Every structure is written in C-alpha cells, then in structure tokens.
Amino acid sequence: MKSEHRELIRRLTLSDEATLANVMTGRLAQSQRLLDERTRNLVKLAGLLALDAKTTSLRAATEAAFASGATDEEIVEVLLVVAPMLGTSRVSSVIPRLRRALERD
C-alpha cells in the first residue's frame, strides 16, 4: 500500500474531520482515479443496492453506469455479486426498484 493511502486510512481511523469532509464530499475519490468511470459507477450502484436505496437513486446510478459504458447484463451482475451479502429480504425488497430503474422510455 502506498504511504499516501496508509496515511488516509490512519486519518480516517482517527476520525480526522478534514479528511472525513473530503471523503464525504467525494473530493478524495475524484482525485484518486484508480478505477475507470464504468467500474466506479458500478461500485456506486452496489453501494446503493446494499443501502436498499429508493428508485430515484437507483435510476440515477444506472443512468450514470449506462453513460459510462455499462450494459444491462453488468447491472444485473452487480446485483448477483452483492446478493449473497445482502440476504434474501434485502434482495427481494430492492428488485422491484432496480427493475423500475432499468426501465427506459
């Protein structure tokens, strides 16, 4: 691990307010750019699925993923990858919202 990443983890562990503010606003993620945009958007979608997000949030995430080159199949695969960690109840509750988010006019 690079020393800058070690330092970031140390600051987050200490709940450093400035570092937390930069993380929560997305500034640090924007400056890193180790993942390509498509992957970043798929990771964001996975997080929203884990949080049992509402349809509007899922729609925004899927639109961003599509705009960065993701396919319907990759979106579904994200669900399949996180499903074992989410559990049956969470997956069952998020599926209808994800379906609606995937509907395109």
Side-chain angles (χ1 to χ4, degrees):
M1 181 184 302
K2 291 182 179 180
S3 61
E4 64 191 69
H5 292 116
R6 239 185 234 105
E7 178 63 14
L8 172 62
I9 296 298
R10 185 187 76 74
R11 288 176 181 268
L12 290 171
T13 301
L14 297 172
S15 297
D16 178 73
E17 287 184 32
T19 303
L20 283 168
N22 284 330
V23 168
M24 299 312 292
T25 60
R27 284 191 291 253
L28 286 181
Q30 292 297 326
S31 69
Q32 295 298 312
R33 294 292 180 191
L34 297 175
L35 300 175
D36 62 78
E37 194 65 24
R38 186 182 123 280
T39 303
R40 291 166 69 87
N41 286 323
L42 292 171
V43 170
K44 289 176 186 178
L45 176 61
L48 289 171
L49 292 170
L51 292 170
D52 205 18
K54 301 297 180 198
T55 303
T56 53
S57 296
L58 293 174
R59 180 166 286 130
T62 57
E63 287 174 358
F66 289 136
S68 61
T71 64
D72 288 333
E73 294 78 11
E74 289 172 318
I75 300 288
V76 172
E77 187 170 349
V78 167
L79 174 67
L80 297 176
V81 169
V82 299
M85 293 169 276
L86 302 181
T88 305
S89 178
R90 176 69 48 94
V91 170
S92 295
S93 71
V94 79
I95 288 289
R97 291 192 299 280
L98 180 61
R99 182 184 50 78
R100 286 191 298 274
L102 288 169
E103 291 173 353
R104 292 182 235 162
D105 298 325

